[in-house]
Each structure stands twice: as C-alpha cells, then as structure tokens.
Amino acid sequence: MYRCSPETCRWEELTPQVGGAYAASRRDFRNVQEELNTALKSLQEKLQHNEEMKAEIEKTVRHIKSQAEHTEHQIKQQFKMLHQFLSREEEATVTALREEEEQKKQRMKEKLDEMNRHISALLHTIKDMEEMMKANDVCFLKEFPGSMERVQSSQPDPQMASGALIHVPRYLGNLPFRVWKKRQEYIRYTPVILDPNTADPCLVVSDDLTSVTWSGNNHPLPDNPERFDCCLCVLGSEGFNSGTHCWDVEVKESIWWSLGVTTASNQRKGGGFFNTDDVWSVRYRVSSGSGFPVEQKLDRVRVNLDYDGGTVSFSDPVTNTHLHTFTTTFTHTLFPFFRCFPSLWILPVNSQ
C-alpha cells in the first residue's frame, strides 16, 4: 500500500487551500476591475461634461464680446444723437443771440442817426442865433420872434429806449434745464424694458429693449441660468418688491400671447414655468399654461401692479375695459414676463 511522505501529505493538505485562495483572488480582481471600470466610466463622463462646459464657457465668452461690441455701438449711437441735439440747440441759441444783437445794434444806429440830425439842427439854430445877436438892434428885434419860435418848436431831446440791451437771462437763465425739458419732447420713456439675457433662443429683443419678435430660428445663445429654453418667454429687466407700477403692451400683431408678472425664483428651464402658483397673467389663444383667458382680440393690454396692495389688474386701455384682477399677498420680487407669437411691443409712456 502506497503511503505518502509527510511532505507529500502536507502538499495534498494545502492544495485545496491554495486553490481556494486563488479563486478568491480571481474574484477580488474582477471586483476591483469592475470598480475601476465604473470609476473610469465616471471620470470619462465627467471629462465629457467638463469639455461640454468648456465649450459652453467659450461660447459665452464669444457672446459676451459680441454683446459688449453691440452695446458699445448702441451707446455711441445714442450719445451721437444727444450730441447732435445739443449741437443744434447750441447753434439755435447762439443764432437767436446774434439776431437780437443785430436788431438792437440797428436800433441804436437809427437812434444815433436821429441824434446826429438833432445835434445838427441844434448847431444850426445856435449859429443863427449867434449871428442874429451880432446884428444891429433893428435887425435883432425884427428876427427875434422868428428865432424864438424856432427854438420853442425844436424837437425834444431824444431819450434812451427801454429794452435796448441784450436780454441775457433769455439765453443763460436755467439753460441746461430748458434744453433738458425741450429734449423731453423727443425722448421716450418706457416703464418696463426687456432683459435679452432671459429671452428664449427663438426670440429676438429689439436694440431699444422694448419689443420682442419670434425669429423662427434657435439662435446659438449661452444657456445661462436666467434664460428660458422651452417657452417663448422673456422677462423685464427690473424686478419690483414694493410700490405701484403700470405698463401698456401692444399685442395687435400677435396671433397668441400671454403676459403678466412672475416671481424671480420661478423655474425658467423646461416646461414647468406655468405649472406653479407664481404666475399672475392673462392669455389669448394660448391653450396651455396658467392665466386668465381673454376671448376678444385686443390691440393693447394694460398691466397695473400694486405690490403693497397685493393686486395685479389687467385692462384694455383702448376701450377702458377691465379684464381681470388677481388678489394675493406678494412676498417675493416680481418680474414682468411676456410670451408671444410672433411679436409684441411695450409702449412708451407718451404713447399710452
């Protein structure tokens, strides 16, 4: 009968243990490999996300440059108009001054000619009287009545007329205020202006920030947190947290529209903007979304916000017809919002 040596028996005893340890090592290796694969996949996804963010940042940098250039151009255009207006006002004011100068110098010239004639007549009369006084007594007595008549009937002494000098206050008095007041006749003030950084990529905001139009194209704009990306909306640039505010919106060119106010924190990404209680609006031919439905075609809509009183009222300013009023308690900053197809315009105060 074969018997193993102690060393051989010991190997036979260890073989199952070694095999089990090897299998366990294989399993551990696979687990580690799976963990590494998972970690690698996560890093690759993070890398892809970072590359996408880098591309978005680079696009944002280009957009900032474009915004700055366009805004600078608009600033220069506006100031050019102001300079032209001020130049015209300066020229008109100086021209009026020169005209008054010429008129009053002409009057003084006429007065001076009159004075010369008067002096000449006096000199002639004085000379005649002096000659008469040199004559003999008979001639003196004979000429005396006529001479006295000429002296008594001579023209009265000329007087300096009032208002002869330049009316300086007419030109310098409150000059900056008068020019500013006149400029107001040509300046339009719009109580709400639009924030292009919130506009949906399919919308185009006008250079003066008072109108918005659907472009039909999804413009490659930065996907900044403030921007709508799923509904054709844009916000006003200024939020309200007190007081009363009013603005008129021309909607006659729009096939459908929705407008009102919303909280600053309302979600702008995705389609959840109207699925909250943070929107107070009226809408026309908009099948989805919140808001009081308006049935009639309107040219204009007036929005009256009384933040402290807790009301938002909508009316037709053309017919002075009330549309709807929301009553609540406002606790957050409110922004005007506008949704339209294809366009609407916020009217300046002097057009309301």
Side-chain angles (χ1 to χ4, degrees):
M1 181 176 179
Y2 174 75
R3 294 182 62 86
C4 64
S5 66
E7 291 78 5
T8 305
C9 291
R10 181 62 179 163
W11 172 252
E12 290 177 350
E13 291 175 1
L14 292 175
T15 298
Q17 297 178 15
V18 172
Y22 178 76
S25 297
R26 292 284 296 177
R27 286 193 301 271
D28 291 343
F29 178 76
R30 285 194 298 269
N31 291 338
V32 170
Q33 203 172 33
E34 288 175 0
E35 290 180 10
L36 287 174
N37 285 333
T38 302
L40 179 61
K41 184 177 180 181
S42 176
L43 289 174
Q44 288 172 338
E45 291 175 350
K46 185 175 290 188
L47 175 62
Q48 182 180 355
H49 177 69
N50 286 342
E51 288 176 344
E52 291 173 353
M53 283 298 298
K54 178 186 176 183
E56 188 66 30
I57 291 171
E58 290 173 345
K59 182 168 72 173
T60 302
V61 170
R62 291 192 297 271
H63 186 69
I64 291 171
K65 185 175 185 296
S66 175
Q67 273 189 313
E69 290 174 350
H70 182 71
T71 303
E72 180 181 349
H73 175 72
Q74 293 298 115
I75 290 171
K76 290 182 176 179
Q77 286 294 108
Q78 294 291 328
F79 274 98
K80 182 179 179 180
M81 292 172 59
L82 288 173
H83 292 157
Q84 290 174 343
F85 171 79
L86 291 174
S87 179
R88 289 194 300 270
E89 286 302 302
E90 177 187 3
E91 183 179 353
T93 305
V94 171
T95 298
L97 171 63
R98 297 300 181 211
E99 288 177 353
E100 182 179 358
E101 178 191 12
E102 290 302 317
Q103 290 173 359
K104 292 190 172 180
K105 283 168 60 177
Q106 180 63 29
R107 291 175 188 171
M108 289 300 100
K109 183 177 181 300
E110 294 172 356
K111 182 67 68 174
L112 189 61
D113 292 341
E114 181 184 354
M115 286 294 300
N116 287 332
R117 290 193 299 271
H118 189 71
I119 291 172
S120 177
L122 286 175
L123 289 173
H124 184 71
T125 302
I126 291 172
K127 183 179 180 181
D128 288 349
M129 292 186 69
E130 289 176 343
E131 292 294 331
M132 181 186 68
M133 292 177 68
K134 293 177 182 179
N136 54 39
D137 294 343
V138 176
C139 291
F140 176 81
L141 292 175
K142 183 178 178 182
E143 298 291 335
F144 178 76
S147 298
M148 288 300 299
E149 184 178 352
R150 288 199 303 274
V151 171
Q152 292 173 355
S153 63
S154 64
Q155 295 291 329
D157 293 338
Q159 301 294 323
M160 181 68 74
S162 60
L165 302 180
I166 296 292
H167 194 336
V168 176
R170 179 182 298 159
Y171 306 101
L172 295 182
N174 295 316
L175 178 60
F177 174 79
R178 288 187 290 107
V179 173
W180 171 78
K181 188 175 181 181
K182 186 173 182 180
R183 178 61 180 161
Q184 280 187 309
E185 300 174 6
Y186 306 97
I187 293 177
R188 300 186 305 176
Y189 170 73
T190 305
V192 171
I193 59 175
L194 301 174
D195 182 359
N197 292 337
T198 67
D200 183 280
C202 286
L203 296 177
V204 175
V205 176
S206 62
D207 287 339
D208 63 0
L209 308 179
T210 63
S211 66
V212 59
T213 303
W214 177 73
S215 67
N217 298 314
N218 197 348
H219 299 285
L221 299 173
D223 188 24
N224 50 299
E226 302 87 354
R227 191 178 304 282
F228 288 93
D229 67 353
C230 195
C231 56
L232 300 178
C233 287
V234 61
L235 296 184
S237 63
E238 180 183 0
F240 305 123
N241 52 26
S242 64
T244 58
H245 310 273
C246 177
W247 58 95
D248 283 7
V249 186
E250 187 169 287
V251 294
K252 65 181 180 181
E253 301 298 330
S254 276
I255 298 172
W256 55 261
W257 51 262
S258 176
L259 56 91
V261 295
T262 186
T263 59
S265 59
N266 194 5
Q267 181 59 248
R268 304 174 197 178
K269 304 298 183 182
F273 178 78
F274 290 101
N275 299 329
T276 69
D277 295 328
D278 294 339
V279 176
W280 298 268
S281 64
V282 291
R283 56 189 171 92
Y284 175 71
R285 289 187 174 178
V286 178
S287 57
S288 61
S290 60
F292 179 80
V294 175
E295 302 298 332
Q296 65 272 33
K297 172 71 174 174
L298 300 177
D299 287 344
R300 297 180 178 182
V301 177
R302 175 166 295 168
V303 184
N304 276 287
L305 168 63
D306 183 352
Y307 189 99
D308 302 318
T311 62
V312 184
S313 297
F314 300 89
S315 60
D316 176 2
V318 177
T319 61
N320 199 26
T321 302
H322 175 259
L323 300 174
H324 189 72
T325 297
F326 293 95
T327 302
T328 185
T329 300
F330 300 121
T331 57
H332 298 85
T333 300
L334 299 179
F335 280 83
F337 86 88
F338 309 88
R339 183 187 188 193
C340 69
F341 177 82
S343 64
L344 56 74
W345 177 38
I346 305 169
L347 296 173
V349 171
N350 54 12
S351 296
Q352 295 181 9

